[in-house]
Amino acid sequence: MTKPEPPQQDTRDGEIPALHRRPVALVAAVIGLVHLAVATRFGWHRDEFYYLICGRHPDWGYVDQPPLAPLLARAAATLPGGVLPLRILAIAAQVGCVLLAAVLAAEFGGRRRAQILAAGAVAASPVFVAGSLLFGTTVLDQLAWAAVLVLVARALRRGTLLAWLAVGLVAGIGLENKSTLAVLILGILVGLALFRREALRGPGPWLAGGVAALLAAPNLIWDARHRWVNVQMAQVLSGKQGGVLGAAAQLPLTLLLLAGPPLVVLWVAGVRRLRSDAGRDHRWLLAVAVVALVLFTLGGGKGYYLAPVLIGLFAAGSVRVEANGDGRTAWPIATVACGLAAVLIGLPVLTPAVSSALRPIDPEPMETYGWPGYTDQVIRAAAEFPPGTMIFTSNYGEAGALTILGPQRGLRNPVSSAHNNYLLWGPPPGTPDTVLCVGEWNTAYLHRFWSDVTTLAPITLPGGLSNEETSDHAAIYLCRAPHGTWAQLWPDLRHLD
């Protein structure tokens, strides 16, 4: 038989347990310092180059994201320290998720132990540790979901228009970072309709929805004017994941790895808490979890899209653990063990050789390694040709690295690409008579555009290490005798992926 949970404080009366700031802040400080210690050990990630380049082309949207992350990247890059200011933003978002998990546990009736456990679970979970390796839409999305969950719980408790207005403001800002937050909004509406219908009889949730829609409107208008290119991009990414069947096949392993094996028990406890009488006031969160699971699976979304739901389930599970008095020694040990594994695999803590070997588990640390060397290889090849010779790259990371790192290392050549939002910035200037094509091309593909294609040098990492830039066809190619002008070649060169 399942042991019934002891009664806990009813949060509908407007009162919740006090927030235990010091121990929760200590948990947040520990994970923040760990991230900071290795923040620049390897270097930039390809996506960080891209966010910064997009930020230099300010707009209300881009083919693969709304404008918030690029604008923040541009602002951070004005500070000294190279990639460090961007990484500090990512670390701040991770710390924010840790703190908000504790606040959410308090909203659910959790006291000291529940708040510390909820904060520790987010700090130790692989998907949050790895997600804050780099600055970008993912870590900001996690923070936005955490903030909206807390604010909805608070608005339901207080029932004031001001509380619901805060929900709408944060949700609208979150939608200007990543459209996946719309899934959270839909899940909340379904949850309220099923379990807190009285809230929908008042104007609060509708005010929140209107404010969020108003803030998201500029990006929606941009997307509509660009033939819903964000939807096209989502379809391409879904196809790469294998569509619905691919997402469903990966789901069991995804649910295990996102939280970390020891912490799976905690989010399961959260589900049980929300299904019990003790969790009935917050059962709307179950609807959020189910809606997110169904929509992200049917949409062929990436596994980590589900990650922010874990913040709510960890908070609810921590309240159950505290109420039952379970595992006072086991839970701290399991959390620390999970956190250590997550740090070793998800952050650039180990040597490049070991990180390269661990790429099948988590490739991202190695994607922050080797960009200065890559840039130097291209500079050496370009030195044999006039400074005006165009360098055309296969992806936005390569173009971004050459644009941002190249000038300080002596590169004077123009750089362009046709990958993702580069395709909207149009064909390069000049003529394609002599072009250095750099990246994951192959001669058969390049011969579609140039008659004369010569491989100049492969792109390599020291010591035979590997990342996405060192595939079998990754090289520097000299391309001559084009089959048309840039404008004529451009429609077939463009690609979304």
Side-chain angles (χ1 to χ4, degrees), residues 429-479:
T431 60
D433 295 337
T434 300
V435 179
L436 293 178
C437 288
V438 178
E440 297 177 88
W441 308 107
N442 61 65
T443 53
Y445 176 81
L446 292 174
H447 272 300
R448 291 169 52 189
F449 308 98
W450 290 273
S451 294
D452 184 3
V453 178
T454 304
T455 303
L456 298 180
I459 295 173
T460 60
L461 285 177
L465 304 182
S466 64
N467 62 15
E468 190 175 325
E469 294 306 316
T470 58
S471 68
D472 291 340
H473 300 293
I476 304 168
Y477 300 89
L478 173 62
C479 299

Side-chain angles (χ1 to χ4, degrees), residues 293-305:
L293 179 65
V294 171
L295 291 185
F296 287 142
T297 302
L298 291 178
K302 296 182 179 180
Y304 62 80
Y305 291 176

